[in-house]
Amino acid sequence: MKRENRFGSFCVLLLIAAVFCLWGGVGVKAHAAQEISACAADKQINKEISPEAQLVTLGCFFKKWEGVNTLHFKVSLKNVSDIPQRFRVNIFLDNGKAVGGLLPRKTKKGLVKPGKTVSFVYPVKNMLSNPKSIDIRITTMGK
């Protein structure tokens, strides 16, 4: 009787270990899907950046959005001026699509302070591959 009980306990423990191993593998796959890479060749990226801003990160990754695995841009900017700023980001792709917005999106918590960095992720609807060329324009909002 004791031997059967040990065997049943061993099977349950083995099943739990297998579930954790499979669950861990799913987490690794989801993280790999969001790995940030270069969006296009360096010479295919045209940048117009305001002197008050420094482009810290411009990267791409694919992630599910509205049920489709689509392209996302991660943009990080640093305020290199000596006054708080709000930035406008516009990203234009070679196929005519464009995304962008304001950083920070809302000003309730204030503007980007001097020396601080702000970032945002912009999804591009129905974009299933990396673009061949990109135009990025970063300007400051008028006072």
Side-chain angles (χ1 to χ4, degrees):
M1 187 84 146
K2 288 183 180 180
R3 185 175 173 112
E4 289 177 23
N5 193 14
R6 285 186 198 162
F7 182 74
S9 297
F10 176 75
C11 287
V12 169
L13 287 174
L14 187 62
L15 180 64
I16 291 171
V19 167
F20 277 115
C21 287
L22 291 174
W23 192 0
V26 169
V28 169
K29 186 176 180 182
H31 180 68
Q34 294 184 19
E35 187 174 313
I36 296 176
S37 64
C39 299
D42 236 6
K43 62 184 178 180
Q44 298 299 324
I45 300 175
N46 181 28
K47 300 175 187 172
E48 291 180 37
I49 302 173
S50 173
E52 294 86 3
Q54 176 186 358
L55 183 62
V56 177
T57 305
L58 174 62
C60 293
F61 61 94
F62 288 90
K63 178 179 161 184
K64 285 243 185 231
W65 186 65
E66 293 186 354
V68 178
N69 202 24
T70 189
L71 180 70
H72 288 65
F73 285 97
K74 179 172 182 167
V75 177
S76 297
L77 301 175
K78 182 176 182 178
N79 182 359
V80 294
S81 72
D82 55 354
I83 59 172
Q85 298 284 346
R86 188 174 194 196
F87 302 102
R88 179 179 302 278
V89 177
N90 296 104
I91 303 170
F92 303 98
L93 307 180
D94 59 336
N95 63 357
K97 292 184 181 277
V99 293
L102 300 174
L103 288 178
R105 288 184 50 230
K106 298 180 181 180
T107 58
K108 186 175 183 179
K109 295 182 182 178
L111 303 175
V112 182
K113 295 185 177 23
K116 297 295 181 183
T117 303
V118 65
S119 63
F120 194 74
V121 175
Y122 300 100
V124 185
K125 191 172 186 172
N126 297 325
M127 190 72 176
L128 305 175
S129 63
N130 280 347
K132 291 182 177 62
S133 66
I134 300 168
D135 292 332
I136 183 165
R137 185 181 318 149
I138 300 167
T139 57
T140 56
M141 295 295 294
K143 294 178 177 60

